[in-house]
Amino acid sequence: MTKVALIGASGNAGSRILKELSDRGHQVTAIGRNPEKIATLANVTAVKGDVYDGQGLAALLKGHDVVISSVHFTASDAATLIAAVRASGVTRYLVVGGAGSLEVAPGARLVDQPDFPALYKAEASKGAEFLDLLKTVEDLDWTFLSPSAMFVPGERTGKFRLGKDTLLANDQGSSISFEDYAIALVDEIEKPAHVRQRFTVGY
């Protein structure tokens, strides 16, 4: 059993990650602005936390084996989150990333393509900045897991592909369900294979 602190446990991705962790028997401190919105599951303790309160967050994270942050990049601050993890003494840090920084061709990022939806541009750009900042951090064993372009509710199939920095796509486009994404993330906790790296998951 691993002691995991999950920041953003009531969100779309966070709630699926929380269930996956609980189902696999891990002990989870589920952190959210509104803990009453966090699902009641086995081995889960819901607590209130503010992503902008670095000191308070560090106190909540202390004593865990792993920290996961699953929060919108435009609704948080990368430097504050990373500093809180470092201050807590936890060295393993996994980030629910974005697809925007993935490459569609060598040196060509998805977010920079002319048809990239304007609605998601700010979030995608912030996600890319978060990854760039992580790459400068030498005292954390971080992992940044980017979903495919369409990150949506769906089924837990357990059938998906992993990649590194290139957007994964098939005949139906580029997608991954929150449920299958959660499998890939928890797999990485149980058997670390991408320490200090970004990787991606898709169909």
Side-chain angles (χ1 to χ4, degrees):
M1 181 193 290
T2 304
K3 291 179 73 177
V4 181
L6 172 59
I7 305 164
S10 65
N12 281 323
S15 59
R16 271 74 165 193
I17 294 164
L18 184 65
K19 185 175 189 324
E20 189 70 26
L21 287 165
S22 173
D23 287 350
R24 296 204 206 179
H26 296 292
Q27 188 178 332
V28 189
T29 300
I31 301 167
R33 275 176 309 187
N34 302 295
E36 67 279 1
K37 292 183 179 176
I38 296 169
T40 304
L41 298 166
N43 305 315
V44 171
T45 305
V47 298
K48 185 177 179 66
D50 181 351
V51 292
Y52 291 108
D53 175 11
Q55 204 172 352
L57 204 53
L60 293 176
L61 303 179
K62 203 175 179 68
H64 292 84
D65 302 309
V66 178
V67 174
I68 303 169
S69 63
S70 178
V71 292
H72 284 292
F73 299 118
T74 51
S76 59
D77 177 70
T80 301
L81 283 168
I82 292 167
V85 177
R86 293 169 79 180
S88 75
V90 181
T91 56
R92 187 72 173 114
Y93 180 38
L94 292 94
V95 177
V96 176
S101 56
L102 290 166
E103 294 186 344
V104 292
R109 301 184 309 172
L110 180 65
V111 68
D112 298 325
Q113 301 313 298
D115 57 348
F116 191 85
L119 183 66
Y120 302 116
K121 194 130 191 170
E123 179 72 13
S125 298
K126 281 274 193 184
E129 288 170 17
F130 199 122
L131 177 59
D132 287 342
L133 186 57
L134 274 177
K135 288 176 178 176
T136 69
V137 177
E138 296 178 356
D139 56 350
L140 289 180
D141 291 332
W142 60 267
T143 298
F144 188 96
L145 177 51
S146 287
S148 290
M150 296 297 291
F151 194 21
V152 291
E155 290 182 54
R156 184 189 185 281
T157 69
K159 295 174 183 173
F160 48 79
R161 295 181 293 151
L162 300 180
K164 193 161 175 7
D165 291 311
T166 305
L167 184 73
L168 295 173
N170 59 21
D171 295 342
Q172 282 77 50
S174 174
S175 69
I176 188 70
S177 70
F178 294 124
E179 289 77 5
D180 278 339
Y181 177 97
I183 297 175
L185 190 81
V186 180
D187 284 352
E188 177 65 23
I189 289 172
E190 294 179 348
K191 293 182 178 175
H194 303 88
V195 177
R196 298 195 186 182
Q197 293 177 43
R198 180 260 288 282
F199 73 114
T200 185
V201 56
Y203 296 127

